[in-house]
Amino acid sequence: MTRDAGEPGRIRTRLRRDRGQLSVEFTGMVPIILVTLVLLWQAVLVGYTFTLASGAADEGVRAAVGDSAAGCRAAVLERLPGAWEGNLDVECGEPGGSDVVKATVRLEAPVLFPGFASLPIPVTATAGAAAEGE
């Protein structure tokens, strides 16, 4: 197979026509990449909020078994970072004559970074432990 003498000229012409194509494609993809990163970060924050609520409920029920409902709330507040305390709802105590002490923690997931605003996504975690009798 022989090459045509005009082939290098066609290649140069094609390369000149493709100039700037990478810049156009990059400019078009930047918003898509940024939106994807923001959505992934938001998913991480929602997951971290679930983890914090669960850990705080566990700490609260441990304190409620050994102490009281006031100790439960203090343990929950000690466990949570300050940015998550703004929309905090804590319920501690024994429900109606049961032998189980329960602690329920409700938080709202932050938008983009903690302390800024909250999503209307309530995150609820409940923990329970056997009440110790005297």
Side-chain angles (χ1 to χ4, degrees):
M1 185 174 192
T2 61
R3 291 188 177 204
D4 187 11
E7 189 174 332
R10 283 193 305 249
I11 292 172
R12 277 188 291 251
T13 303
R14 187 169 42 115
L15 289 175
R16 274 191 222 113
R17 283 185 292 161
D18 288 345
R19 239 181 237 172
Q21 183 66 29
L22 182 62
S23 298
V24 171
E25 289 176 4
F26 179 73
T27 304
M29 288 300 293
V30 165
I32 294 170
I33 292 169
L34 290 177
V35 167
T36 302
L37 289 174
V38 166
L39 290 175
L40 287 172
W41 176 247
Q42 189 60 51
V44 167
L45 280 177
V46 170
Y48 186 56
T49 303
F50 273 98
T51 302
L52 286 175
S54 177
D58 287 341
E59 286 293 323
V61 81
R62 280 187 206 114
V65 166
D67 230 358
S68 64
C72 172
R73 182 163 179 78
V76 167
L77 289 172
E78 184 178 323
R79 175 72 183 227
L80 290 175
W84 270 267
E85 291 176 6
N87 297 318
L88 174 65
D89 183 25
V90 180
E91 294 176 15
C92 299
E94 297 178 25
S98 174
D99 290 336
V100 177
V101 177
K102 289 188 178 181
T104 302
V105 176
R106 284 185 202 87
L107 298 172
E108 289 184 5
V111 175
L112 294 182
F113 56 92
F116 175 61
S118 296
L119 287 173
I121 300 173
V123 175
T124 303
T126 302
E132 296 177 0
E134 292 188 25

